[in-house]
């Protein structure tokens, strides 16, 4: 409940126009990129500094007001929906690149910086920031850190957690902490930096980050391999890694995705292929040429039906468009698109895709699969209609069985989208009851009043495991 006194106190911190309780602001911040999930907050606030965030949290703590931090709202697990009401804290005013340190190869940024803007700025300075989530045109660095976002380059370069060296964060009681720094080595106590990365706004409000930068690759080469046998595509992925070749990008599209993407992008993909691999290597010119030749040979050995190597950067971008446009293309089919993610060992990719197809057929729902073949992170995507309650229920049951299949294959329920509220019922499947209790203990230590992004990560009731009939 936001009283008139609390409203005055908050406006005194950020200014009258940066704390809003009008219906337009409340509705605009009642949902994120997750379909069929919405809840109105009681207020929306836009801080500009760490000190303002600290003062806001002191008021929230004194009055037990829930706080949900938010960037661009591209979250896909309901992580930024204010299910308990309270205040949505929007970080877009904190959008400065504070410093680029050329001597230490670091950048210090605020959380509201748009990922692509940051990446482009760094490239103009002759450096490279590898994390590239598909939402990078709109997502923020703070959101990337909260979810530990991945991207197409995750196989070779790692994910967001590998590039966060230090953080400034505000705890639920308003205390400000600083973790890490411009350091290569630091083992002074627990690694709070890594703990906060991927914590989905449940432990602290991140207000500043020190990010690692690296030299850019000197050249790139892109190719596409097309298979009528999905196991051939999967064996290709495993064999490439077994040969100790780590591509910059190694993506897969299954047949349903191929059909939809080609209809959308008009790039001439063959519609009779079971799977397509999109492969890019970067680095020193000699190494790139050698690796692409080896990869080409491996694809031939595994019976690739067609192979193409881009001759120009324009051709390469055309090939990468096939992967980057997958979600957009699928979203055109039906009113509601549910993009999920599950990760398996890369050797189990074909099994996972085929299991997903079989599960979709079992529940009579439409699911296409694409994703990061190199690191086993797949995105089964259902197209449905939220108004059809029966079909939506079948989609939900199908995804529960897909998550169970991923765990059975040695995988996990989410590789990069996060737990939020959507995956919370399944978290215990992955980490076990003891793991849940440890995580709850960490949450209590950081946030004893449960004010920071409540109702996320931990389900009120875990979902029962799916019993999958075999044979």
């Amino acid at each position: 409940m936001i009283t008139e006194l609390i409203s005055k106190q908050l406006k005194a911190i950020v200014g009258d126009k940066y704390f809003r309780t009008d219906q337009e602001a409340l509705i605009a911040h009642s949902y994120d990129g997750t379909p069929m999930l919405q809840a109105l907050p009681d207020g929306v606030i836009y801080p500009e500094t760490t000190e303002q965030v600290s003062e806001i949290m002191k008021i929230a703590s004194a009055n037990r007001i829930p706080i949900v931090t938010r960037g661009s709202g591209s979250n896909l697990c309901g992580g930024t929906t204010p299910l308990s009401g309270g205040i949505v804290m929007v970080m877009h005013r904190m959008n400065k690149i504070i410093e680029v340190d050329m001597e230490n190869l670091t950048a210090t940024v605020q959380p509201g910086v748009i990922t692509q803007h940051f990446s482009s700025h760094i490239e103009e300075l002759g450096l490279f920031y590898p994390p590239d989530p598909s939402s990078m045109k709109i997502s923020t660095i703070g959101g990337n850190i909260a979810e530990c976002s991945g991207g197409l380059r995750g196989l070779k370069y790692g994910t967001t957690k590998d590039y966060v060296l230090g953080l400034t964060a505000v705890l639920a009681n308003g205390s400000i902490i600083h973790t890490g720094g411009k350091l290569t080595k630091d083992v002074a106590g627990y690694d709070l930096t890594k703990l906060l990365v991927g914590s989905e706004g449940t432990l602290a409000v991140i207000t500043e980050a020190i990010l690692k930068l690296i030299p850019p690759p000197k050249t790139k080469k892109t190719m596409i391999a097309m298979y009528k046998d999905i196991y051939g595509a999967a064996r290709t992925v495993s064999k490439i890694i077994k040969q100790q070749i780590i591509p910059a990008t190694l993506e897969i599209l299954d047949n349903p995705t191929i059909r939809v993407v080609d209809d959308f992008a008009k790039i001439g993909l063959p519609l009779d292929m079971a799977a397509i691999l999109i492969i890019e290597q970067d680095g020193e010119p000699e190494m790139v040429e050698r690796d692409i030749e080896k990869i080409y040979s491996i694809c031939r050995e595994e019976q690739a039906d067609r192979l193409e190597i881009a001759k120009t950067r324009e051709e390469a971008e055309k090939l990468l468009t096939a992967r980057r446009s997958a979600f957009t293309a699928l979203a055109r089919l039906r009113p509601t698109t549910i993009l999920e993610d599950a990760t398996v060992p890369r050797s189990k990719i074909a099994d996972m895709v085929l299991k997903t197809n079989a599960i979709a057929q079992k529940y009579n729902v439409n699911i296409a699969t694409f994703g990061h073949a190199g690191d086993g992170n797949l995105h089964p995507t259902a197209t449905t209609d939220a108004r059809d309650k029966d079909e939506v229920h079948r989609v939900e049951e199908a995804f529960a069985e897909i998550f169970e299949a991923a765990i059975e294959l040695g995988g996990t329920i989410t590789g990069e989208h996060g737990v939020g509220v959507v995956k919370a019922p399944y978290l215990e499947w992955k980490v076990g009851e003891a793991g849940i209790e440890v995580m709850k203990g960490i949450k209590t230590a950081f946030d004893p009043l449960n004010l920071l992004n409540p109702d996320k990560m931990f389900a009120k009731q875990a979902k029962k495991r799916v019993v999958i009939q075999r044979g």
Side-chain angles (χ1 to χ4, degrees):
M1 178 69 176
I2 308 295
T3 65
E4 186 176 343
L5 175 60
I6 293 171
S7 182
K8 286 181 178 178
Q9 290 173 333
L10 293 171
K11 287 180 179 179
I13 296 169
V14 296
D16 286 357
K17 71 176 183 177
Y18 293 118
F19 176 66
R20 296 175 60 180
T21 56
D22 58 281
Q23 281 297 106
E24 181 182 357
L26 300 186
I27 292 171
H29 296 89
S30 65
Y31 60 92
D32 56 21
T34 315
M36 303 180 295
L37 194 63
Q38 186 174 20
L40 281 175
D42 299 304
V44 182
I45 199 162
Y46 308 81
E48 190 175 25
T49 66
T50 297
E51 290 69 29
Q52 287 184 359
V53 173
S54 174
E55 292 304 311
I56 292 165
M57 290 310 308
K58 288 175 184 176
I59 291 173
S61 180
N63 294 279
R64 303 206 171 196
I65 300 171
I67 296 285
V68 177
T69 51
R70 174 187 171 110
S72 296
S74 56
N75 188 280
L76 291 167
C77 63
T80 55
T81 52
L83 300 181
S84 295
I87 296 172
V88 172
M89 187 184 294
V90 183
M91 310 305 285
H92 277 174
R93 292 180 71 207
M94 300 182 68
N95 59 6
K96 296 180 180 64
I97 299 174
I98 297 169
E99 176 196 49
V100 178
D101 186 337
M102 303 297 285
E103 293 183 350
N104 289 301
L105 293 185
T106 64
T108 303
V109 305
Q110 293 181 316
V113 176
I114 300 296
T115 311
Q116 189 171 67
H117 293 174
F118 173 69
S119 189
S120 298
H121 178 72
I122 295 306
E123 287 175 12
E124 289 172 3
L125 298 176
L127 293 170
F128 185 37
Y129 179 71
D132 63 333
S134 296
S135 60
M136 66 187 299
K137 288 184 179 180
I138 58 170
S139 66
T140 61
I141 293 292
N144 295 170
I145 293 170
E147 300 301 322
C148 191
S149 298
L152 275 66
R153 295 191 285 245
L155 169 63
K156 182 172 185 176
Y157 290 103
T159 59
T160 299
K161 69 177 184 294
D162 301 302
Y163 295 88
V164 180
L165 298 175
L167 294 168
T168 298
V170 178
L171 301 180
N173 64 5
S175 299
I176 300 171
I177 63 170
H178 302 277
T179 75
K182 299 178 183 181
L183 306 166
T184 302
K185 297 178 179 178
D186 182 7
V187 293
Y190 297 133
D191 192 342
L192 297 180
T193 304
K194 289 293 188 287
L195 179 60
L196 292 179
V197 176
S199 62
E200 302 187 27
T202 63
L203 301 182
V205 180
I206 293 166
T207 60
E208 204 170 288
I210 300 171
L211 305 176
K212 180 174 73 173
L213 308 175
I214 63 175
K218 291 184 178 178
T219 190
K220 297 178 183 178
K221 205 149 196 177
T222 307
M223 63 178 289
I224 187 168
M226 310 177 195
Y227 298 81
K228 291 185 175 177
D229 172 20
I230 195 168
Y231 280 102
R235 287 193 302 269
T236 298
V237 172
S238 297
K239 191 173 284 188
I240 288 170
I241 306 302
K242 189 175 181 180
Q243 290 293 314
Q244 299 182 20
I245 301 169
I246 309 297
T249 298
L250 181 47
E251 299 290 302
I252 190 168
L253 308 176
D254 74 350
N255 180 265
T257 309
I258 294 167
R259 291 175 173 274
V260 175
V261 165
D262 192 66
D263 181 62
F264 171 71
K266 309 295 184 188
I267 53 179
L269 298 176
L271 304 184
D272 60 339
M273 296 296 160
I276 285 177
L277 295 179
I278 300 167
I279 308 164
E280 185 170 77
Q281 183 59 301
D282 63 12
E284 294 291 333
E286 298 82 4
M287 182 206 75
V288 171
E289 289 294 334
R290 182 178 66 248
D291 284 353
I292 288 294
E293 284 182 14
K294 288 182 179 177
I295 292 170
Y296 193 95
S297 296
I298 291 169
C299 294
R300 279 279 180 235
E301 290 169 9
E302 295 301 335
Q303 308 301 310
D305 193 73
R306 285 174 57 182
L307 287 165
E308 296 178 12
I309 298 177
K311 297 182 178 63
T312 63
R313 200 61 222 158
E314 289 72 25
E315 286 186 19
E317 287 302 319
K318 183 180 176 182
L319 295 180
L320 290 170
T321 296
R323 166 61 180 89
R324 294 191 186 276
S325 64
F327 176 68
T328 305
L330 287 164
R332 296 165 67 236
L333 298 182
R334 302 284 302 280
T336 307
T337 306
I338 303 174
L339 173 62
E340 278 293 357
D341 80 317
T343 301
V344 295
R346 64 176 67 94
S347 62
K348 302 294 186 181
I349 286 172
D351 292 331
M352 190 64 209
V353 173
L354 292 175
K355 284 178 183 289
T356 299
N357 292 343
I359 291 167
Q361 188 173 14
K362 172 183 173 181
Y363 288 96
N364 190 27
V365 293
N366 299 311
I367 297 179
T369 302
F370 57 92
H372 317 302
D375 55 27
N377 185 200
L378 298 172
H379 295 304
T381 304
T383 53
T384 182
D385 188 335
R387 295 166 296 187
D388 187 337
K389 302 302 181 185
D390 178 66
E391 184 176 76
V392 167
H393 176 70
R394 285 185 279 114
V395 168
E396 291 171 346
E397 292 300 303
F399 275 126
E401 199 160 313
I402 286 169
F403 301 148
E404 170 72 6
I407 291 172
E408 283 196 346
L409 291 171
T412 185
I413 60 172
T414 177
E416 57 188 4
H417 289 178
V419 175
V421 63
V422 173
K423 296 287 184 67
Y426 310 101
L427 182 59
E428 190 174 318
W429 294 8
K430 173 58 181 172
V431 304
E433 186 177 348
I436 291 288
E437 291 307 310
V438 169
M439 291 182 183
K440 285 182 176 178
I442 293 170
K443 168 69 169 172
T444 301
F446 273 83
D447 181 18
L449 298 178
N450 192 29
L451 300 179
L452 290 170
N453 212 5
D455 306 309
K456 311 298 166 54
M457 197 81 74
F458 308 113
K460 292 178 181 176
Q461 184 174 358
K463 194 170 179 71
K464 291 182 179 179
R465 290 291 288 266
V466 181
V467 178
I468 302 177
Q469 299 296 327
R470 303 299 178 198

